Amino acid sequence: VQRCGRGLVWDRSKATLPDARERTLIAVKPDGVQRRLVGRIIQRFEQRGFKLVGLKMMTASEDLLSEHYRELRTKPFFHSLQSYMTSGPVVVMVWEGHNVVQTSRTMVGPTNPTVAQAGTVRGDFSIHVSRNVVHASDSLEGAQREIQLWFEAKDLLDWDCCDQMSTSE
Ligand code: ADP
């Protein structure tokens, strides 16, 4: 049990599920930023119950994109993907929570928007595979690799939620 100030107490023994610290990388791509979808995408992850632990806006370099999409380097669309992804700012985030990698992929929807269900980000906001609004890591290993690529460890914040605190005295 640890004091958190103002009489609040955080009881770590009651803390959450074993994999509640799982993390994934979500990025609003340049088309999503340009279409003012950032707030709505963040809202979906907040309302689902995930915790935002890192956030920044930046224009990615070609080198960063080349590393991020290294498995796609031989694809015919790679160069257009790279120039699309470097064409304007992206909003890159790290979200934390139980099964966040897999659940985020479900929330984002499949790569091809023609088969993305309404209710998913791509199913609601996208009609073309090359302008599909958002990125979500596709595996635990991929998430770890991408988080290290886009963020420095010091820019990821650990914080406790007031929902899990009780007032003392
Ligand atoms: P996802 O983003 O769903 O994980 P991939 O890793 O297969 O999908 O592809 C990465 C990104 O490359 C896609 O989100 C999309 O922006 C782009 N992309 C994938 N396939 C195509 C394609 N056939 N034509 C153009 N762009 C594509």
Side-chain angles (χ1 to χ4, degrees):
V1 171
Q2 166 190 328
R3 296 214 157 258
C4 318
R6 288 210 204 161
L8 289 172
V9 167
W10 165 237
D11 183 350
R12 286 194 182 275
S13 67
K14 295 201 183 108
T16 58
L17 299 155
D19 65 347
R21 302 295 307 278
E22 184 174 309
R23 290 178 171 181
T24 197
L25 188 99
I26 302 294
V28 184
K29 296 180 175 184
D31 55 322
V33 173
Q34 288 157 23
R35 292 172 58 200
R36 279 78 164 163
L37 294 174
V38 173
R40 273 182 276 183
I41 290 166
I42 289 176
Q43 186 177 29
R44 288 177 182 225
F45 285 87
E46 283 192 330
Q47 89 187 18
R48 191 71 192 252
F50 294 124
K51 188 198 244 188
L52 183 61
V53 297
L55 172 74
K56 66 178 169 186
M57 188 176 200
M58 60 185 281
T59 303
S61 67
E62 290 199 350
D63 286 349
L64 178 59
L65 260 304
S66 182
E67 192 52 38
H68 177 81
Y69 284 130
R70 66 182 183 189
E71 279 149 28
L72 301 178
R73 277 181 202 158
T74 56
K75 299 280 183 194
F77 58 82
F78 179 74
H79 289 294
S80 63
L81 172 62
Q82 202 178 27
S83 55
Y84 151 56
M85 287 295 294
T86 56
S87 66
V90 292
V91 173
V92 200
M93 298 174 270
V94 178
W95 287 89
E96 183 179 282
H98 180 60
N99 281 338
V100 69
V101 173
Q102 205 182 331
T103 306
S104 299
R105 290 289 291 187
T106 306
M107 290 166 68
V108 162
T111 312
N112 180 353
T114 64
V115 295
Q117 301 273 341
T120 64
V121 176
R122 288 170 175 170
D124 287 348
F125 297 123
S126 169
I127 55 172
H128 200 287
V129 68
S130 71
R131 294 289 181 278
N132 57 7
V133 177
V134 71
H135 167 80
S137 308
D138 67 359
S139 64
L140 267 176
E141 302 69 40
Q144 280 162 10
R145 185 181 77 83
E146 291 171 6
I147 290 168
Q148 282 176 11
L149 187 62
W150 289 82
F151 283 90
E152 291 185 48
K154 71 175 175 51
D155 294 327
L156 300 176
L157 307 182
D158 270 323
W159 52 277
D160 293 329
C161 180
C162 59
D163 295 358
Q164 291 156 317
M165 295 173 187
S166 57
T167 51
S168 63
E169 321 302 356

